[in-house]
Structure formats: structure tokens, C-alpha cells
Amino acid sequence: DTGVSQNPRHKITKRGQNVTFRCDPISEHNRLYWYRQTLGQGPEFLTYFQNEAQLEKSRLLSDRFSAERPKGSFSTLEIQRTEQGDSAMYLCASSLESGLAGGGEQFFGPGTRLTVL
Amino acid sequence: TQLLEQSPQFLSIQEGENLTVYCNSSSVFSSLQWYRQEPGEGPVLLVTVVTGGEVKKLKRLTFQFGDARKDSSLHITAAQPGDTGLYLCAGDEYTGNQFYFGTGTSLTVIP
């Protein structure tokens, strides 16, 4: 299966700890997105990369959040000094930017569910 | 702030009934997508519409993109229990840099 994969699938941590999530996109996709989703709501955009460049960050993303995509392949999302409000599903998606309007269809991973105690 | 509002937020119907989910915005989108998401999984793409007024059919599902490219609807005919899930619309503005998801419609089809 060559879909988007995310690790870990579940993470439980104590408030104040740092956590890091990994996303492996579909290999030929040049765009990679991170979203956060709370129960029963639609995903909220956090940030996206085109190749290794981080092109946009949501204003919702506090300084405690940082994302990298060092070689334009996999990406990591780190949350420092976690708070209970960070508890959510963190979704990764990838797409192939074709130069046309729309940025290509996004394919989502299964998500990492974070619980901050 | 979510640019796309979906209605209804929750929908519970009997198997065999028809339903329509609406996705509305004051913004214009270059394309709009519909996803279905099951608990504990990521959203799965159902369809992409790119032309104002476009209608696409996928078996019992009919998707329409508004003429002004600000709204869309999803109509399901003869709903089945397997249609149960969270339906999400999503669109990108002409910059193509950020993708906005709707507020979601949670559908339950009762056998």
C-alpha cells in the first residue's frame, strides 16, 4: 500500500511534555499538509510544504508548534510544552501540485490522535 | 474561523430515504471537494468539482457546484447504513495555498 502513513497512531502524554509526529506522504507528491481536527468538527489547516519549503502557516499555529520537511519527503510536527487544549487528531495529507488551480487532490493519512492529560 | 458552513450538522434517517447536505460560503473557490470520514480514520475523497454549475454523479451520490462557485450540495438517494459517516466539504481559494474544510455533517443511516 503506497498511501499516506502517520506514526504513531495514538499518543498519550502529560501536560508540559514535548511530542513529535511523523508523516510519510505518497512518494511522488510534492505537497504535504498538516491539519488538526477535534471531535465532530472539520479539519483545521495548520501548515503546508511544497517540497522542503514551508510556504504557509495558519495563524492558529502557536509558537509551540513547529513542522519540518527536511528532504522534501517525510515531515515531522512537534508540539512543545503540550497543553490539554492540544488534544486532537492530527492529520497529514499529500498532493501533487500540477500548476493548475486547486493544488491537486489531497490524500489523507489515518491521523495521530493526541491526548494530553 | 471556518469559511465553509455545512448544514445540517447532524442527520439521522431511515434506510432508503433521500437526503441533501449543503455547503455554503461567502468566498469563491477554484475547486471544491467532498470527503467522507469514518471514526478514527482520515477523510477519504469522494469527488472534486471545478466548474461553476457542474454536476457529478457517483452511483447514488450527486454533487453540485454552485454557479457562483461559493456553494455546493451533496444529495444521496436511497441511503444505506454503509453511508453513515462524517461528510466534509473542502475548498481552496484561487491562491491554492490553503485548504478550508467545512464544519461537517454527521450522517447516521438506521437500518
Side-chain angles (χ1 to χ4, degrees):
Chain A
D1 185 65
T2 57
V4 178
S5 62
Q6 291 186 245
N7 288 288
R9 292 293 307 274
H10 304 274
K11 179 70 178 178
I12 300 173
T13 191
K14 292 183 179 179
R15 189 176 54 188
Q17 298 294 306
N18 299 342
V19 293
T20 300
F21 310 140
R22 175 177 170 128
C23 171
D24 287 89
I26 294 172
S27 58
E28 63 268 25
H29 284 184
N30 52 5
R31 283 196 175 182
L32 187 148
Y33 304 78
W34 284 100
Y35 294 86
R36 178 172 61 194
Q37 185 178 27
T38 52
L39 196 62
Q41 299 296 313
E44 291 180 296
F45 170 82
L46 293 178
T47 188
Y48 98 99
F49 293 83
Q50 176 135 337
N51 300 313
E52 66 276 8
Q54 188 174 16
L55 296 186
E56 190 150 345
K57 289 175 62 173
S58 167
R59 282 168 290 195
L60 298 173
L61 210 62
S62 79
D63 292 342
R64 297 183 296 105
F65 287 69
S66 62
E68 294 183 342
R69 194 183 183 197
K71 297 181 180 179
S73 56
F74 74 91
S75 176
T76 57
L77 177 67
E78 181 182 17
I79 309 174
Q80 295 182 326
R81 305 181 302 282
T82 53
E83 301 172 357
Q84 288 183 323
D86 296 332
S87 295
M89 174 80 88
Y90 289 84
L91 292 164
C92 173
S94 70
S95 71
L96 181 63
E97 197 276 327
S98 61
L100 300 174
E105 296 180 3
Q106 295 189 26
F107 295 84
F108 282 81
T112 294
R113 179 163 296 284
L114 172 66
T115 302
V116 182
L117 302 175
Chain B
T1 302
Q2 292 195 275
L3 291 185
L4 290 160
E5 294 288 334
Q6 288 184 236
S7 61
Q9 187 177 359
F10 298 97
L11 190 56
S12 182
I13 61 171
Q14 295 288 331
E15 182 176 0
E17 292 184 350
N18 302 333
L19 67 114
T20 302
V21 177
Y22 299 93
C23 173
N24 295 293
S25 177
S26 57
S27 297
V28 177
F29 294 95
S30 62
S31 71
L32 198 138
Q33 301 181 2
W34 283 93
Y35 292 82
R36 180 166 152 262
Q37 185 178 23
E38 305 221 10
E41 300 295 329
V44 175
L45 180 68
L46 297 173
V47 78
T48 299
V49 286
V50 297
T51 306
E54 181 177 3
V55 177
K56 278 192 175 178
K57 292 191 175 183
L58 189 68
K59 296 184 180 178
R60 295 176 295 101
L61 278 59
T62 302
F63 305 86
Q64 185 163 9
F65 199 12
D67 291 341
R69 313 169 73 94
K70 293 182 179 181
D71 55 86
S72 181
S73 64
L74 158 61
H75 182 79
I76 302 179
T77 303
Q80 299 177 1
D83 296 328
T84 294
L86 180 68
Y87 288 82
L88 297 159
C89 64
D92 62 324
E93 296 177 301
Y94 278 93
T95 58
N97 289 335
Q98 194 169 135
F99 213 60
Y100 298 93
F101 275 86
T103 47
T105 295
S106 180
L107 170 66
T108 302
V109 182
I110 302 166

